[in-house]
Amino acid sequence: MDNSPSQDDPGQPPVPAPVPLTKPELKPQSEPVAAPRPSTAPVADAEMRVSDADRERIAELLRDAYAEGRLDAEEHAERIGAAYAAKTFGDLVPLTRDLPAHRSVSFDKPPLGAQEPASAPTRPLPPARHEAPSVVAIFGGAARKGRWRVGSHLTAFTAFGGVDIDLTDAVFESPEVEISVTAIFGGVEIRVPENVSLLGSGVGIFGGFDVREQTAADPYAPVVRVKGVALFGGCNAKPRRGKKLKEWVRKQLGTE
């Protein structure tokens, strides 16, 4: 006798049909890979490139510190070289960070077309100082700068030290100024206005005597002649860009 349940037995639940096992079809990635875009991030302030004016401003601070005795001759020479070789503001800032006269280098540039602020009223200049016709530095530093009267002859002597002569704000009392230099194991730096003539005839013995000669466009402009000798030392004379002789009167110099 067959006791197996009948397929038509209503007491048994129906067996579900088997579901075919199929794997989903993988679709190939058709989206193209985006090309890398150039970086648009702003350049950091310390990485901004510096101009010649920025280098000259830091060099001027270093000269002041050297004249005040805050830097010795070796430190001054090392930092001056680094200032003129600087490429970014990050290279310039450490050179004056430990000096009281440090002025932070400004990274902000005025927008194009912006009007510059109105300049303050011009104040009368103080009277020019009368100074000795010689500057001497032995195992130290000496400086002559600012508004001072310069005659026809000036002597600079240094031994194991440095002399800084700045004629950019000086009052010329002669149409020709002769500067005699003697540098022994030391250095002499001379700066003149950019609108005067500068001539040189010096000798460097185990040292350097560098005069950046120039001829002024005005034939009546004052003439600065630098001569002398540098023994195991150096002399550097050059015009300072952006500084012009302000109180040069032809009548005062006897050319009219």
Side-chain angles (χ1 to χ4, degrees):
M1 181 175 181
D2 187 5
N3 293 328
S4 62
S6 173
Q7 294 181 354
D8 297 333
D9 189 357
Q12 296 293 330
V15 179
V19 177
L21 299 178
T22 60
K23 295 183 179 180
E25 184 178 357
L26 298 178
K27 296 183 179 180
Q29 295 182 355
S30 59
E31 297 180 359
V33 179
R37 297 181 179 180
S39 176
T40 58
V43 179
D45 291 341
E47 298 176 0
M48 294 287 290
R49 290 276 178 163
V50 296
S51 64
D52 290 339
D54 296 325
R55 298 184 185 94
E56 187 63 32
R57 185 169 70 253
I58 297 300
E60 184 66 19
L61 289 177
L62 295 174
R63 295 188 188 101
D64 292 342
Y66 176 62
E68 295 169 357
R70 302 184 189 277
L71 298 175
D72 57 30
E74 183 178 354
E75 292 172 327
H76 175 255
E78 181 180 355
R79 296 194 188 192
I80 282 287
Y84 285 118
K87 297 183 181 299
T88 65
F89 283 105
D91 298 331
L92 287 178
V93 171
L95 301 179
T96 59
R97 182 174 294 161
D98 58 347
L99 300 177
H102 173 72
R103 292 171 290 183
S104 60
V105 179
S106 174
F107 302 110
D108 299 330
K109 302 296 181 181
L112 294 177
Q115 295 182 355
E116 296 183 357
S119 58
T122 304
R123 297 180 179 180
L125 296 175
R129 307 186 313 271
H130 289 276
E131 299 283 358
S134 60
V135 186
V136 179
I138 301 176
F139 289 98
R144 187 71 55 82
K145 57 177 26 180
R147 283 178 50 78
W148 59 288
R149 296 183 178 274
V150 56
S152 60
H153 191 270
L154 187 64
T155 301
F157 175 84
T158 180
F160 298 94
V163 169
D164 186 6
I165 298 177
D166 190 345
L167 299 174
T168 55
D169 293 320
V171 177
F172 284 67
E173 296 184 334
S174 174
E176 184 170 326
V177 180
E178 183 179 272
I179 304 179
S180 299
V181 174
T182 302
I184 304 174
F185 290 96
V188 175
E189 289 195 14
I190 302 171
R191 296 183 301 282
V192 303
E194 65 177 3
N195 60 338
V196 305
S197 296
L198 177 61
L199 304 175
S201 59
V203 178
I205 303 175
F206 293 102
F209 206 102
D210 182 17
V211 178
R212 300 184 187 178
E213 296 187 345
Q214 70 171 13
T215 301
D218 192 335
Y220 296 102
V223 178
V224 178
R225 299 182 184 274
V226 182
K227 66 177 186 178
V229 60
L231 177 62
F232 291 98
C235 175
N236 184 20
K238 63 180 180 180
R240 183 176 173 184
R241 288 173 294 180
K243 297 290 287 186
K244 295 185 178 181
L245 189 60
K246 301 176 182 177
E247 296 184 63
W248 166 46
V249 181
R250 296 182 184 180
K251 184 176 181 180
Q252 178 184 2
L253 299 182
T255 57
E256 288 187 356

